[in-house]
């Protein structure tokens, strides 16, 4: 029988002095970048009510959360994500009507991972939240901050893929799919499974040009020129605005000198 006093739970690990010092140096370097962009640090509890993450916007499967109960029988979780908790904070304790708010955080999160994966179940998450402003400048600011953070952490060669979900939503609104069908198609596109997409679309009488565009989506990634491959004449205003946003954000990031780190998907 194993002596569990000598081990850490699966997906967790001790950090020895050298590792801990390196981790702290990276966290401090990233925090300095966040602060240089005008973001202020916040901290949220490691223990949260399950209800915080039991929402459509949470996007975290409940099976991946570490759950337990308090003395009153309410379901608690070890936070699986910090963004959702910051959103809760912004909607309650920071709801003073003064916007935009620039917040950043760095702390541990906890999630179960696939038993066949070697991934950690306890890991550090650092990020920023720009709340109360929605435009091309805001999008480019957040992406530029992410790029500078990766550079501060010591990375030299990396790519950040940017996309626009409103482009896909605009296409979906032209198909007549219900929510379940739309989600099924989204997953297939996300997997870039062209054969499955073609089989799925074969079951519905949608416009042929829209169908051809959806079939092309898995291959629409690369540099900014891929936007020129899209037939804009078949798009509605929602999808056209999304493409314009992508183009503007790319141009702004190029102004920062960051185009080498950006690809479109």
């Amino acid at each position: 029988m194993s002596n569990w006093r000598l081990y850490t739970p699966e997906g967790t690990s001790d950090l020895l002095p050298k590792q801990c010092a390196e981790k702290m140096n990276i966290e401090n370097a990233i925090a300095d970048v966040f602060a240089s962009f005008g973001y202020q640090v916040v901290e949220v509890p490691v223990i949260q009510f399950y209800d915080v993450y039991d929402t459509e916007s949470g996007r975290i499967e409940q099976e991946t959360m570490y759950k337990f109960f308090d003395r009153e029988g309410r379901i608690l979780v070890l936070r699986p994500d910090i963004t959702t908790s910051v959103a809760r904070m912004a909607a309650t304790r920071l709801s003073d009507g003064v916007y935009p708010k620039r917040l950043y955080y760095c702390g541990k999160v906890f999630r179960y991972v696939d038993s066949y994966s070697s991934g950690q179940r306890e890991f550090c998450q650092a990020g920023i939240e720009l709340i109360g402003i929605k435009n091309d400048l805001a999008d480019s600011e957040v992406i530029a901050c992410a790029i500078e953070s990766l550079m501060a952490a010591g990375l030299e060669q990396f790519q950040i893929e940017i996309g626009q979900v409103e482009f896909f939503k605009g296409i979906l609104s032209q198909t007549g799919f219900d929510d379940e069908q739309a989600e099924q198609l989204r997953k297939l596109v996300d997997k870039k499974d062209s054969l499955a997409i073609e089989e799925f679309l074969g079951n519905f009488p949608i416009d042929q040009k829209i169908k051809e565009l959806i079939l092309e989506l898995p291959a629409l990634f690369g540099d900014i020129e891929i936007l020129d491959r899209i037939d804009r004449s078949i798009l509605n205003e929602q999808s056209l605005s999304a493409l314009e946003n992508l183009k503007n954000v790319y141009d702004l990031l190029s102004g920062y000198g960051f185009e080498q780190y950006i690809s479109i998907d």
Side-chain angles (χ1 to χ4, degrees):
M1 186 173 181
S2 299
N3 185 351
W4 297 114
R5 291 178 298 177
L6 303 178
Y7 301 96
T8 63
E10 184 178 353
T12 68
S13 60
D14 298 316
L15 289 182
L16 301 181
K18 185 175 184 295
Q19 296 171 305
C20 200
E22 291 173 347
K23 175 176 178 288
M24 291 181 65
N25 286 337
I26 292 173
E27 290 174 357
N28 290 336
I30 292 174
D32 287 344
V33 172
F34 292 165
S36 73
F37 275 76
Y39 288 77
Q40 296 179 299
V41 65
V42 293
E43 189 171 308
V44 296
V46 172
I47 298 174
Q48 298 276 336
F49 284 113
Y50 169 74
D51 304 64
V52 173
Y53 299 94
D54 187 26
T55 63
E56 177 63 26
S57 61
R59 299 275 181 195
I60 298 176
E61 296 180 358
Q62 64 97 7
E63 292 84 1
T64 67
M65 302 185 206
Y66 281 86
K67 298 184 288 291
F68 51 102
F69 298 92
D70 64 11
R71 290 190 298 180
E72 287 73 34
R74 294 171 295 200
I75 304 176
L76 305 174
V77 297
L78 294 179
R79 63 187 184 204
D81 171 76
I82 299 181
T83 293
T84 309
S85 299
V86 172
R88 172 197 53 74
M89 174 194 290
T92 54
R93 302 191 64 189
L94 289 176
S95 58
D96 54 10
V98 179
Y99 296 101
K101 296 187 187 301
R102 289 176 169 84
L103 309 174
Y104 83 84
Y105 51 83
C106 183
K108 286 187 175 181
V109 294
F110 305 84
R111 295 185 200 171
Y112 284 105
V113 294
D114 192 297
S115 58
Y116 298 101
S117 170
S118 61
Q120 290 289 101
R121 296 181 177 181
E122 174 190 42
F123 54 94
C124 186
Q125 184 183 64
I128 61 174
E129 307 297 338
L130 178 50
I131 301 170
I133 183 171
K134 182 181 180 181
N135 57 35
D136 302 338
L137 284 171
D139 290 341
S140 61
E141 174 186 312
V142 170
I143 298 168
C145 187
I147 291 172
E148 290 201 13
S149 298
L150 293 174
M151 294 168 66
L155 295 180
E156 296 179 356
Q157 296 183 358
F158 58 88
Q159 286 280 294
I160 292 183
E161 292 182 345
I162 63 173
Q164 235 297 359
V165 69
E166 293 301 318
F167 174 72
F168 185 63
K169 287 182 177 179
I171 295 173
L172 286 179
S173 69
Q174 297 179 261
T175 64
F177 292 157
D178 61 29
D179 291 344
E180 183 177 344
Q181 293 164 344
E183 178 61 14
Q184 186 176 350
L185 178 59
R186 184 197 67 77
K187 289 180 179 178
L188 294 176
V189 171
D190 191 47
K191 293 178 181 177
K192 301 189 184 300
D193 192 338
S194 299
L195 292 177
I197 294 171
E198 185 173 8
E199 182 179 355
F200 176 84
L201 295 176
N203 299 319
F204 301 97
I206 64 177
D207 181 86
Q208 183 60 31
K209 289 188 175 181
I210 294 296
K211 181 179 294 188
E212 290 172 358
L213 176 58
I214 294 174
L215 286 170
E216 193 180 1
L217 286 178
L220 285 178
F221 63 90
D223 56 32
I224 192 65
E225 278 71 29
I226 67 162
L227 300 186
D228 297 331
R229 290 166 47 187
I230 300 171
D231 182 359
R232 296 174 183 247
S233 68
I234 65 174
L235 300 179
N236 59 18
E237 186 59 36
Q238 184 176 10
S239 292
L240 288 171
S241 296
L243 289 185
E244 188 66 18
N245 169 253
L246 270 179
K247 178 66 166 58
N248 292 341
V249 168
Y250 180 85
D251 288 344
L252 287 165
L253 290 170
S254 296
Y256 283 106
F258 290 154
E259 62 268 26
Q260 64 179 309
Y261 303 112
I262 300 298
S263 62
I264 308 294
D265 190 349

